[in-house]
Amino acid sequence: MISFYPGPSKLTDHIEQYLADAVKSGILSINHRQEEFVRLVEATVLGLKEYLKVPKEYEVYFVNSATECWYIIGNSIVDDSVAHLYNGDFGKKWSDVDKNLGHNTLDIRFDINKEIPTQFIQDVSLICLTHCETSNGTILSDNSLSLLRKNNSEALIALDATSSMGGVRIDFTNIDLCFASVQKCFGLPSGLGILICSPRAVKRATELNRNNYFHHLKHLHEKALLFQTCNTPNMLGIYLLNRVLKARTELNHVENALQKNARLIYQFFDDYKNGFQLLVRNESARSPTVVTVLGDPSKINQIKLDAKSNGIILGNGYGEWAKNTFRIANFPAHNEDDFLQLFHFFNQYK
Ligand SMILES: *Cc1c(COP(=O)(O)O)cnc(C)c1O
């Protein structure tokens, strides 16, 4: 079986070895405040900063998941009003979290084939964006992110980068809070979230000084200064992340390979027809990490079943595109051979 589900997805190469090594190393049986584990957290934080090219004054925290980051930010950072700019279901769900927390929430929806609006947004202290909208396979351009930043220099900007971090470069100078889960572009089992914060974000959280949640940013910050975590973290997840980071070449190389596969996939489905078409028509809005294919719901359902009996797992559609699309993950763990196998299946299917 090969999984193209956009998370959890195909696991990274050598995962069995890493799991066996984790058990053998003894790290899973020591207390998380002990020196040996603290050094592992330190090495993993430094490894992530190096790999992702995170500015050195930014901090990295280990939390439970991307979904939890929506709550951490809502509890720690939102002061008066928050704006959510989105074109799909992950962005909408995040906005719903802020509404449920009682925040004054401004929703700005945009079309999946259009650029994100970049104008000045009045009276908000935080702007929330989704880098790759996993529900429909779109991505925000660096250019629009920097324009948005330029037009809103007072507000903090938070970016859900769950299906891009680790596979696509992120310009952190445009972003104050950025987060992801490891089951997408890190090719790992789920259950570990990464949250990256600018000094401005830490300052805001410290000033607001709320104490209503164990993973309040202020607590995360205080513990992170010592390379510690607030609770007993996913120690196995951190161990595995460290191994993955050590095995990776530079992000530039990883992204180039991923972009090359993305071009193959988009080209294939542009040519494929047979009752299917790419959901996102605007090429510059297409995410390299999640490709969404549109079709008649009964055909979509059938092809997923047939793919499965051929050893290929396609991702279900999501949210408003649940029934009339399937999704294909193109994460760093996937290689060209995986896609040749996928194309072979679709070519036979014609
Ligand atoms: C997968 C995903 C999430 C949710 O991740 P969890 O690990 O389930 O919390 C959130 N946002 C985006 C954009 C995602 O792709």
Side-chain angles (χ1 to χ4, degrees), residues 6-7 64-68 70 90 130 132-134 160-163 179 181 183-184 190-191:
N64 298 332
S65 73
T67 304
E68 196 203 8
W70 297 341
F90 283 99
T130 306
C132 287
E133 177 48 78
T134 319
D160 179 343
T162 306
S163 63
F179 55 89
S181 294
Q183 74 272 23
K184 315 257 165 113
S190 60

Side-chain angles (χ1 to χ4, degrees), residues 246-259:
K246 279 192 191 155
R248 287 239 172 134
T249 60
E250 273 187 45
L251 178 57
N252 256 341
H253 297 158
V254 172
E255 178 169 3
N256 286 344
L258 188 146
Q259 295 281 8

